[in-house]
Amino acid sequence: MEIKRYDCGVRFATAVEYNGMVYTSGLVTSDRTGDITAQTKDVLSKIDAALEKAGSDKDHVIMVNIWIADMKLFGEMNAVWDEWVSKENMPVRACVEAKLAGNGNLVEIAAIAVKK
Amino acid sequence: MEIKRYDCGVRFATAVEYNGMVYTSGLVTSDRTGDITAQTKDVLSKIDAALEKAGSDKDHVIMVNIWIADMKLFGEMNAVWDEWVSKENMPVRACVEAKLAGNGNLVEIAAIAVKK
Amino acid sequence: MEIKRYDCGVRFATAVEYNGMVYTSGLVTSDRTGDITAQTKDVLSKIDAALEKAGSDKDHVIMVNIWIADMKLFGEMNAVWDEWVSKENMPVRACVEAKLAGNGNLVEIAAIAVKK
């Protein structure tokens, strides 16, 4: 079985595929001036794009890790999550507060999914 | 292969099963008034219950992530862990301090296991 | 399929192997007096050793989680990472700040890899 690596930057891949599974990096927004709502939407759209490129989608996500810069943002992040997540195909999830790399980043999300 | 999702709440599943593996969410106590000892016992019993429902158990756990609200609680958390973990079947583990969602939560634990 | 557990200490294994995959614990340095550069080198050499023992190597790493004690150390940690990571075989990665167990520990790293 081959390991496929997608969108490798200077130090890590955006996604890796192996044995019917897709793993994404902890992804952050492209626009750090946005608020938690805008950033969460942007990051989840990046998750969607990374999964699509590797042959998966949010209906096949099995695990998600979320780090937010301030737990006060939990409710607003969840509001965007609730719009995004497939109600019939919920993953397991963990979300904790952590200081993130990159000034202005408010949320970082990593996903593990199954290929379609 | 089918993805099975257990005990889905409003935004995530308690456990997901795929390809002979079981993944749990980051689980927290049902009684946030308890101390770290009580909370760790409660969370590990929830891990046990989630694994059992998906056809696994602590002897088949391969990876555990633990987040504690204050590193000063590390020793007391570990005392409960040491009672719980199968000495002949230890998983890999990572434990760091993080602010958790939900006032009063002192410990959150997520596990990955193999089905029996 | 058998679960193999490597270098089990008093409460967790250094690595676990199952179904062609290798999972490591969050590993820390053996010399907490070292700076972030020395600690990152030491931890990555421990990752190398753990993977080798289980029949893998850094060319087969698919996912890495890094926790650093202070985000100010991000650049120095990355300089060591950049020397270590296989440019043709980059894993996905997430790195956040977190208080670590053990006074003086500046970096903790966990990896998931595929067997050679």
Side-chain angles (χ1 to χ4, degrees), chain C residues 69-101:
Chain C
D70 189 327
M71 199 45 83
K72 290 174 188 160
L73 305 173
F74 189 62
E76 290 166 88
M77 179 279 294
N78 272 330
V80 180
W81 169 270
D82 291 353
E83 286 290 312
W84 177 83
V85 73
S86 170
K87 294 292 184 253
E88 294 74 38
N89 301 287
M90 289 183 180
V92 299
R93 198 185 88 163
C95 175
V96 300
E97 181 181 304
K99 187 168 185 178
L100 306 178

PDB file of all heavy atoms in Angstrom, chain C residues 69-101:
ATOM      1  N   ALA C  69       6.553  24.061  25.070  1.00  0.00           N
ATOM      2  CA  ALA C  69       6.212  24.705  26.339  1.00  0.00           C
ATOM      3  C   ALA C  69       5.992  26.202  26.176  1.00  0.00           C
ATOM      4  O   ALA C  69       5.319  26.823  27.007  1.00  0.00           O
ATOM      5  CB  ALA C  69       7.319  24.444  27.368  1.00  0.00           C
ATOM      6  N   ASP C  70       6.556  26.778  25.125  1.00  0.00           N
ATOM      7  CA  ASP C  70       6.421  28.214  24.892  1.00  0.00           C
ATOM      8  C   ASP C  70       6.485  28.453  23.394  1.00  0.00           C
ATOM      9  O   ASP C  70       7.429  28.027  22.730  1.00  0.00           O
ATOM     10  CB  ASP C  70       7.568  28.962  25.597  1.00  0.00           C
ATOM     11  CG  ASP C  70       7.376  30.471  25.575  1.00  0.00           C
ATOM     12  OD1 ASP C  70       6.806  31.002  24.592  1.00  0.00           O
ATOM     13  OD2 ASP C  70       7.803  31.127  26.533  1.00  0.00           O
ATOM     14  N   MET C  71       5.466  29.098  22.850  1.00  0.00           N
ATOM     15  CA  MET C  71       5.413  29.296  21.401  1.00  0.00           C
ATOM     16  C   MET C  71       6.598  30.132  20.892  1.00  0.00           C
ATOM     17  O   MET C  71       6.916  30.082  19.705  1.00  0.00           O
ATOM     18  CB  MET C  71       4.063  29.914  21.013  1.00  0.00           C
ATOM     19  CG  MET C  71       3.687  29.774  19.549  1.00  0.00           C
ATOM     20  SD  MET C  71       3.940  28.127  18.772  1.00  0.00           S
ATOM     21  CE  MET C  71       2.435  27.259  19.272  1.00  0.00           C
ATOM     22  N   LYS C  72       7.278  30.832  21.794  1.00  0.00           N
ATOM     23  CA  LYS C  72       8.491  31.562  21.381  1.00  0.00           C
ATOM     24  C   LYS C  72       9.591  30.613  20.894  1.00  0.00           C
ATOM     25  O   LYS C  72      10.530  31.039  20.234  1.00  0.00           O
ATOM     26  CB  LYS C  72       9.023  32.387  22.564  1.00  0.00           C
ATOM     27  CG  LYS C  72       8.146  33.559  22.939  1.00  0.00           C
ATOM     28  CD  LYS C  72       8.671  34.238  24.202  1.00  0.00           C
ATOM     29  CE  LYS C  72       7.681  35.307  24.690  1.00  0.00           C
ATOM     30  NZ  LYS C  72       7.901  35.639  26.118  1.00  0.00           N
ATOM     31  N   LEU C  73       9.484  29.349  21.251  1.00  0.00           N
ATOM     32  CA  LEU C  73      10.484  28.354  20.855  1.00  0.00           C
ATOM     33  C   LEU C  73      10.169  27.721  19.506  1.00  0.00           C
ATOM     34  O   LEU C  73      10.913  26.846  19.034  1.00  0.00           O
ATOM     35  CB  LEU C  73      10.562  27.258  21.934  1.00  0.00           C
ATOM     36  CG  LEU C  73      10.838  27.739  23.360  1.00  0.00           C
ATOM     37  CD1 LEU C  73      10.719  26.587  24.341  1.00  0.00           C
ATOM     38  CD2 LEU C  73      12.213  28.387  23.442  1.00  0.00           C
ATOM     39  N   PHE C  74       9.072  28.162  18.890  1.00  0.00           N
ATOM     40  CA  PHE C  74       8.579  27.534  17.651  1.00  0.00           C
ATOM     41  C   PHE C  74       9.652  27.535  16.551  1.00  0.00           C
ATOM     42  O   PHE C  74       9.879  26.513  15.892  1.00  0.00           O
ATOM     43  CB  PHE C  74       7.330  28.287  17.191  1.00  0.00           C
ATOM     44  CG  PHE C  74       6.572  27.652  16.057  1.00  0.00           C
ATOM     45  CD1 PHE C  74       6.002  26.390  16.177  1.00  0.00           C
ATOM     46  CD2 PHE C  74       6.395  28.328  14.853  1.00  0.00           C
ATOM     47  CE1 PHE C  74       5.279  25.819  15.130  1.00  0.00           C
ATOM     48  CE2 PHE C  74       5.662  27.762  13.814  1.00  0.00           C
ATOM     49  CZ  PHE C  74       5.118  26.511  13.953  1.00  0.00           C
ATOM     50  N   GLY C  75      10.302  28.679  16.352  1.00  0.00           N
ATOM     51  CA  GLY C  75      11.284  28.793  15.273  1.00  0.00           C
ATOM     52  C   GLY C  75      12.483  27.876  15.478  1.00  0.00           C
ATOM     53  O   GLY C  75      12.928  27.197  14.543  1.00  0.00           O
ATOM     54  N   GLU C  76      12.970  27.837  16.702  1.00  0.00           N
ATOM     55  CA  GLU C  76      14.136  26.980  16.985  1.00  0.00           C
ATOM     56  C   GLU C  76      13.774  25.499  16.889  1.00  0.00           C
ATOM     57  O   GLU C  76      14.565  24.694  16.412  1.00  0.00           O
ATOM     58  CB  GLU C  76      14.695  27.307  18.371  1.00  0.00           C
ATOM     59  CG  GLU C  76      15.361  28.677  18.442  1.00  0.00           C
ATOM     60  CD  GLU C  76      15.602  29.119  19.885  1.00  0.00           C
ATOM     61  OE1 GLU C  76      16.654  28.774  20.434  1.00  0.00           O
ATOM     62  OE2 GLU C  76      14.712  29.790  20.455  1.00  0.00           O
ATOM     63  N   MET C  77      12.570  25.151  17.355  1.00  0.00           N
ATOM     64  CA  MET C  77      12.127  23.761  17.212  1.00  0.00           C
ATOM     65  C   MET C  77      12.026  23.407  15.722  1.00  0.00           C
ATOM     66  O   MET C  77      12.491  22.348  15.279  1.00  0.00           O
ATOM     67  CB  MET C  77      10.759  23.576  17.896  1.00  0.00           C
ATOM     68  CG  MET C  77      10.165  22.180  17.803  1.00  0.00           C
ATOM     69  SD  MET C  77       9.317  21.840  16.223  1.00  0.00           S
ATOM     70  CE  MET C  77       7.922  22.983  16.304  1.00  0.00           C
ATOM     71  N   ASN C  78      11.449  24.311  14.942  1.00  0.00           N
ATOM     72  CA  ASN C  78      11.288  24.043  13.508  1.00  0.00           C
ATOM     73  C   ASN C  78      12.626  23.886  12.787  1.00  0.00           C
ATOM     74  O   ASN C  78      12.723  23.106  11.834  1.00  0.00           O
ATOM     75  CB  ASN C  78      10.491  25.180  12.846  1.00  0.00           C
ATOM     76  CG  ASN C  78       8.994  24.931  12.918  1.00  0.00           C
ATOM     77  OD1 ASN C  78       8.550  23.778  12.926  1.00  0.00           O
ATOM     78  ND2 ASN C  78       8.218  25.999  12.976  1.00  0.00           N
ATOM     79  N   ALA C  79      13.633  24.629  13.221  1.00  0.00           N
ATOM     80  CA  ALA C  79      14.949  24.512  12.576  1.00  0.00           C
ATOM     81  C   ALA C  79      15.473  23.081  12.706  1.00  0.00           C
ATOM     82  O   ALA C  79      16.038  22.526  11.755  1.00  0.00           O
ATOM     83  CB  ALA C  79      15.925  25.507  13.187  1.00  0.00           C
ATOM     84  N   VAL C  80      15.244  22.477  13.878  1.00  0.00           N
ATOM     85  CA  VAL C  80      15.675  21.092  14.069  1.00  0.00           C
ATOM     86  C   VAL C  80      14.778  20.146  13.278  1.00  0.00           C
ATOM     87  O   VAL C  80      15.240  19.200  12.640  1.00  0.00           O
ATOM     88  CB  VAL C  80      15.672  20.713  15.570  1.00  0.00           C
ATOM     89  CG1 VAL C  80      16.116  19.263  15.763  1.00  0.00           C
ATOM     90  CG2 VAL C  80      16.570  21.654  16.349  1.00  0.00           C
ATOM     91  N   TRP C  81      13.479  20.412  13.331  1.00  0.00           N
ATOM     92  CA  TRP C  81      12.519  19.617  12.550  1.00  0.00           C
ATOM     93  C   TRP C  81      12.902  19.600  11.067  1.00  0.00           C
ATOM     94  O   TRP C  81      12.886  18.540  10.424  1.00  0.00           O
ATOM     95  CB  TRP C  81      11.117  20.201  12.711  1.00  0.00           C
ATOM     96  CG  TRP C  81      10.103  19.635  11.772  1.00  0.00           C
ATOM     97  CD1 TRP C  81       9.792  20.117  10.517  1.00  0.00           C
ATOM     98  CD2 TRP C  81       9.292  18.483  11.962  1.00  0.00           C
ATOM     99  NE1 TRP C  81       8.831  19.329   9.943  1.00  0.00           N
ATOM    100  CE2 TRP C  81       8.503  18.322  10.807  1.00  0.00           C
ATOM    101  CE3 TRP C  81       9.144  17.574  13.009  1.00  0.00           C
ATOM    102  CZ2 TRP C  81       7.580  17.289  10.667  1.00  0.00           C
ATOM    103  CZ3 TRP C  81       8.220  16.532  12.868  1.00  0.00           C
ATOM    104  CH2 TRP C  81       7.458  16.406  11.707  1.00  0.00           C
ATOM    105  N   ASP C  82      13.225  20.789  10.535  1.00  0.00           N
ATOM    106  CA  ASP C  82      13.519  20.899   9.101  1.00  0.00           C
ATOM    107  C   ASP C  82      14.738  20.069   8.700  1.00  0.00           C
ATOM    108  O   ASP C  82      14.821  19.563   7.579  1.00  0.00           O
ATOM    109  CB  ASP C  82      13.733  22.364   8.712  1.00  0.00           C
ATOM    110  CG  ASP C  82      12.436  23.184   8.801  1.00  0.00           C
ATOM    111  OD1 ASP C  82      11.366  22.587   9.031  1.00  0.00           O
ATOM    112  OD2 ASP C  82      12.500  24.418   8.648  1.00  0.00           O
ATOM    113  N   GLU C  83      15.691  19.950   9.620  1.00  0.00           N
ATOM    114  CA  GLU C  83      16.854  19.094   9.358  1.00  0.00           C
ATOM    115  C   GLU C  83      16.471  17.619   9.389  1.00  0.00           C
ATOM    116  O   GLU C  83      17.054  16.801   8.685  1.00  0.00           O
ATOM    117  CB  GLU C  83      17.934  19.327  10.438  1.00  0.00           C
ATOM    118  CG  GLU C  83      18.688  20.627  10.297  1.00  0.00           C
ATOM    119  CD  GLU C  83      19.603  20.614   9.083  1.00  0.00           C
ATOM    120  OE1 GLU C  83      20.344  19.633   8.904  1.00  0.00           O
ATOM    121  OE2 GLU C  83      19.553  21.592   8.298  1.00  0.00           O
ATOM    122  N   TRP C  84      15.484  17.303  10.229  1.00  0.00           N
ATOM    123  CA  TRP C  84      15.134  15.897  10.473  1.00  0.00           C
ATOM    124  C   TRP C  84      14.150  15.339   9.443  1.00  0.00           C
ATOM    125  O   TRP C  84      14.302  14.208   8.969  1.00  0.00           O
ATOM    126  CB  TRP C  84      14.516  15.773  11.877  1.00  0.00           C
ATOM    127  CG  TRP C  84      14.034  14.392  12.229  1.00  0.00           C
ATOM    128  CD1 TRP C  84      14.791  13.349  12.705  1.00  0.00           C
ATOM    129  CD2 TRP C  84      12.696  13.897  12.135  1.00  0.00           C
ATOM    130  NE1 TRP C  84      14.007  12.245  12.910  1.00  0.00           N
ATOM    131  CE2 TRP C  84      12.712  12.546  12.566  1.00  0.00           C
ATOM    132  CE3 TRP C  84      11.468  14.458  11.732  1.00  0.00           C
ATOM    133  CZ2 TRP C  84      11.559  11.753  12.601  1.00  0.00           C
ATOM    134  CZ3 TRP C  84      10.326  13.665  11.766  1.00  0.00           C
ATOM    135  CH2 TRP C  84      10.378  12.333  12.193  1.00  0.00           C
ATOM    136  N   VAL C  85      13.136  16.127   9.115  1.00  0.00           N
ATOM    137  CA  VAL C  85      12.025  15.580   8.325  1.00  0.00           C
ATOM    138  C   VAL C  85      12.494  15.192   6.920  1.00  0.00           C
ATOM    139  O   VAL C  85      13.332  15.859   6.324  1.00  0.00           O
ATOM    140  CB  VAL C  85      10.853  16.589   8.265  1.00  0.00           C
ATOM    141  CG1 VAL C  85      11.160  17.775   7.371  1.00  0.00           C
ATOM    142  CG2 VAL C  85       9.565  15.895   7.842  1.00  0.00           C
ATOM    143  N   SER C  86      11.949  14.098   6.422  1.00  0.00           N
ATOM    144  CA  SER C  86      12.249  13.652   5.060  1.00  0.00           C
ATOM    145  C   SER C  86      11.487  14.536   4.079  1.00  0.00           C
ATOM    146  O   SER C  86      10.250  14.518   4.038  1.00  0.00           O
ATOM    147  CB  SER C  86      11.825  12.190   4.902  1.00  0.00           C
ATOM    148  OG  SER C  86      11.898  11.807   3.540  1.00  0.00           O
ATOM    149  N   LYS C  87      12.207  15.317   3.290  1.00  0.00           N
ATOM    150  CA  LYS C  87      11.561  16.286   2.395  1.00  0.00           C
ATOM    151  C   LYS C  87      10.655  15.606   1.362  1.00  0.00           C
ATOM    152  O   LYS C  87       9.710  16.217   0.850  1.00  0.00           O
ATOM    153  CB  LYS C  87      12.622  17.128   1.666  1.00  0.00           C
ATOM    154  CG  LYS C  87      13.433  18.044   2.597  1.00  0.00           C
ATOM    155  CD  LYS C  87      12.587  19.164   3.173  1.00  0.00           C
ATOM    156  CE  LYS C  87      13.399  20.140   4.026  1.00  0.00           C
ATOM    157  NZ  LYS C  87      13.138  20.013   5.466  1.00  0.00           N
ATOM    158  N   GLU C  88      10.966  14.348   1.067  1.00  0.00           N
ATOM    159  CA  GLU C  88      10.153  13.635   0.073  1.00  0.00           C
ATOM    160  C   GLU C  88       9.012  12.856   0.725  1.00  0.00           C
ATOM    161  O   GLU C  88       8.210  12.232   0.040  1.00  0.00           O
ATOM    162  CB  GLU C  88      11.037  12.664  -0.725  1.00  0.00           C
ATOM    163  CG  GLU C  88      12.079  13.324  -1.600  1.00  0.00           C
ATOM    164  CD  GLU C  88      13.242  13.886  -0.791  1.00  0.00           C
ATOM    165  OE1 GLU C  88      13.638  13.237   0.197  1.00  0.00           O
ATOM    166  OE2 GLU C  88      13.711  14.993  -1.116  1.00  0.00           O
ATOM    167  N   ASN C  89       8.988  12.872   2.048  1.00  0.00           N
ATOM    168  CA  ASN C  89       8.000  12.043   2.760  1.00  0.00           C
ATOM    169  C   ASN C  89       7.459  12.777   3.984  1.00  0.00           C
ATOM    170  O   ASN C  89       7.563  12.303   5.109  1.00  0.00           O
ATOM    171  CB  ASN C  89       8.656  10.718   3.202  1.00  0.00           C
ATOM    172  CG  ASN C  89       9.203   9.926   2.035  1.00  0.00           C
ATOM    173  OD1 ASN C  89       8.442   9.346   1.266  1.00  0.00           O
ATOM    174  ND2 ASN C  89      10.517   9.932   1.880  1.00  0.00           N
ATOM    175  N   MET C  90       6.896  13.945   3.740  1.00  0.00           N
ATOM    176  CA  MET C  90       6.436  14.751   4.865  1.00  0.00           C
ATOM    177  C   MET C  90       5.130  14.216   5.460  1.00  0.00           C
ATOM    178  O   MET C  90       4.205  13.880   4.730  1.00  0.00           O
ATOM    179  CB  MET C  90       6.213  16.187   4.413  1.00  0.00           C
ATOM    180  CG  MET C  90       7.507  16.918   4.132  1.00  0.00           C
ATOM    181  SD  MET C  90       7.165  18.635   3.691  1.00  0.00           S
ATOM    182  CE  MET C  90       8.844  19.224   3.410  1.00  0.00           C
ATOM    183  N   PRO C  91       5.072  14.160   6.785  1.00  0.00           N
ATOM    184  CA  PRO C  91       3.824  13.776   7.448  1.00  0.00           C
ATOM    185  C   PRO C  91       2.902  14.979   7.569  1.00  0.00           C
ATOM    186  O   PRO C  91       3.317  16.115   7.318  1.00  0.00           O
ATOM    187  CB  PRO C  91       4.305  13.361   8.842  1.00  0.00           C
ATOM    188  CG  PRO C  91       5.458  14.284   9.097  1.00  0.00           C
ATOM    189  CD  PRO C  91       6.142  14.456   7.747  1.00  0.00           C
ATOM    190  N   VAL C  92       1.668  14.740   7.993  1.00  0.00           N
ATOM    191  CA  VAL C  92       0.858  15.854   8.482  1.00  0.00           C
ATOM    192  C   VAL C  92       1.341  16.166   9.894  1.00  0.00           C
ATOM    193  O   VAL C  92       1.945  15.336  10.567  1.00  0.00           O
ATOM    194  CB  VAL C  92      -0.667  15.538   8.463  1.00  0.00           C
ATOM    195  CG1 VAL C  92      -1.134  15.258   7.050  1.00  0.00           C
ATOM    196  CG2 VAL C  92      -1.035  14.406   9.397  1.00  0.00           C
ATOM    197  N   ARG C  93       1.077  17.388  10.332  1.00  0.00           N
ATOM    198  CA  ARG C  93       1.622  17.824  11.614  1.00  0.00           C
ATOM    199  C   ARG C  93       0.692  18.813  12.278  1.00  0.00           C
ATOM    200  O   ARG C  93       0.027  19.606  11.592  1.00  0.00           O
ATOM    201  CB  ARG C  93       2.983  18.487  11.383  1.00  0.00           C
ATOM    202  CG  ARG C  93       3.851  18.599  12.599  1.00  0.00           C
ATOM    203  CD  ARG C  93       5.137  19.389  12.331  1.00  0.00           C
ATOM    204  NE  ARG C  93       4.931  20.807  12.529  1.00  0.00           N
ATOM    205  CZ  ARG C  93       5.906  21.712  12.686  1.00  0.00           C
ATOM    206  NH1 ARG C  93       7.165  21.330  12.619  1.00  0.00           N
ATOM    207  NH2 ARG C  93       5.625  22.974  12.869  1.00  0.00           N
ATOM    208  N   ALA C  94       0.632  18.771  13.596  1.00  0.00           N
ATOM    209  CA  ALA C  94      -0.013  19.829  14.375  1.00  0.00           C
ATOM    210  C   ALA C  94       0.940  20.180  15.507  1.00  0.00           C
ATOM    211  O   ALA C  94       1.571  19.293  16.091  1.00  0.00           O
ATOM    212  CB  ALA C  94      -1.358  19.371  14.934  1.00  0.00           C
ATOM    213  N   CYS C  95       1.076  21.468  15.786  1.00  0.00           N
ATOM    214  CA  CYS C  95       1.960  21.919  16.876  1.00  0.00           C
ATOM    215  C   CYS C  95       1.277  23.041  17.632  1.00  0.00           C
ATOM    216  O   CYS C  95       0.930  24.064  17.052  1.00  0.00           O
ATOM    217  CB  CYS C  95       3.291  22.397  16.313  1.00  0.00           C
ATOM    218  SG  CYS C  95       4.376  23.108  17.576  1.00  0.00           S
ATOM    219  N   VAL C  96       1.077  22.824  18.910  1.00  0.00           N
ATOM    220  CA  VAL C  96       0.486  23.865  19.758  1.00  0.00           C
ATOM    221  C   VAL C  96       1.316  24.007  21.031  1.00  0.00           C
ATOM    222  O   VAL C  96       2.128  23.139  21.368  1.00  0.00           O
ATOM    223  CB  VAL C  96      -0.986  23.555  20.134  1.00  0.00           C
ATOM    224  CG1 VAL C  96      -1.856  23.442  18.892  1.00  0.00           C
ATOM    225  CG2 VAL C  96      -1.095  22.317  21.008  1.00  0.00           C
ATOM    226  N   GLU C  97       1.095  25.119  21.735  1.00  0.00           N
ATOM    227  CA  GLU C  97       1.759  25.314  23.020  1.00  0.00           C
ATOM    228  C   GLU C  97       0.990  24.595  24.122  1.00  0.00           C
ATOM    229  O   GLU C  97      -0.242  24.625  24.136  1.00  0.00           O
ATOM    230  CB  GLU C  97       1.819  26.814  23.345  1.00  0.00           C
ATOM    231  CG  GLU C  97       2.510  27.128  24.663  1.00  0.00           C
ATOM    232  CD  GLU C  97       2.545  28.627  24.974  1.00  0.00           C
ATOM    233  OE1 GLU C  97       3.044  29.412  24.150  1.00  0.00           O
ATOM    234  OE2 GLU C  97       2.049  29.009  26.059  1.00  0.00           O
ATOM    235  N   ALA C  98       1.717  23.963  25.023  1.00  0.00           N
ATOM    236  CA  ALA C  98       1.071  23.337  26.182  1.00  0.00           C
ATOM    237  C   ALA C  98       2.080  23.175  27.295  1.00  0.00           C
ATOM    238  O   ALA C  98       3.268  22.927  27.042  1.00  0.00           O
ATOM    239  CB  ALA C  98       0.508  21.963  25.816  1.00  0.00           C
ATOM    240  N   LYS C  99       1.621  23.322  28.511  1.00  0.00           N
ATOM    241  CA  LYS C  99       2.470  23.011  29.654  1.00  0.00           C
ATOM    242  C   LYS C  99       2.647  21.499  29.702  1.00  0.00           C
ATOM    243  O   LYS C  99       1.667  20.741  29.615  1.00  0.00           O
ATOM    244  CB  LYS C  99       1.835  23.524  30.950  1.00  0.00           C
ATOM    245  CG  LYS C  99       2.758  23.380  32.158  1.00  0.00           C
ATOM    246  CD  LYS C  99       2.235  24.153  33.365  1.00  0.00           C
ATOM    247  CE  LYS C  99       3.233  24.078  34.514  1.00  0.00           C
ATOM    248  NZ  LYS C  99       2.749  24.859  35.679  1.00  0.00           N
ATOM    249  N   LEU C 100       3.900  21.066  29.814  1.00  0.00           N
ATOM    250  CA  LEU C 100       4.216  19.644  29.752  1.00  0.00           C
ATOM    251  C   LEU C 100       4.467  19.077  31.148  1.00  0.00           C
ATOM    252  O   LEU C 100       4.831  19.801  32.068  1.00  0.00           O
ATOM    253  CB  LEU C 100       5.468  19.434  28.895  1.00  0.00           C
ATOM    254  CG  LEU C 100       5.417  20.048  27.493  1.00  0.00           C
ATOM    255  CD1 LEU C 100       6.732  19.823  26.768  1.00  0.00           C
ATOM    256  CD2 LEU C 100       4.261  19.461  26.684  1.00  0.00           C
ATOM    257  N   ALA C 101       4.303  17.760  31.255  1.00  0.00           N
ATOM    258  CA  ALA C 101       4.663  17.084  32.500  1.00  0.00           C
ATOM    259  C   ALA C 101       6.179  17.086  32.637  1.00  0.00           C
ATOM    260  O   ALA C 101       6.902  16.930  31.656  1.00  0.00           O
ATOM    261  CB  ALA C 101       4.126  15.656  32.486  1.00  0.00           C
TER     262      ALA C 101
END
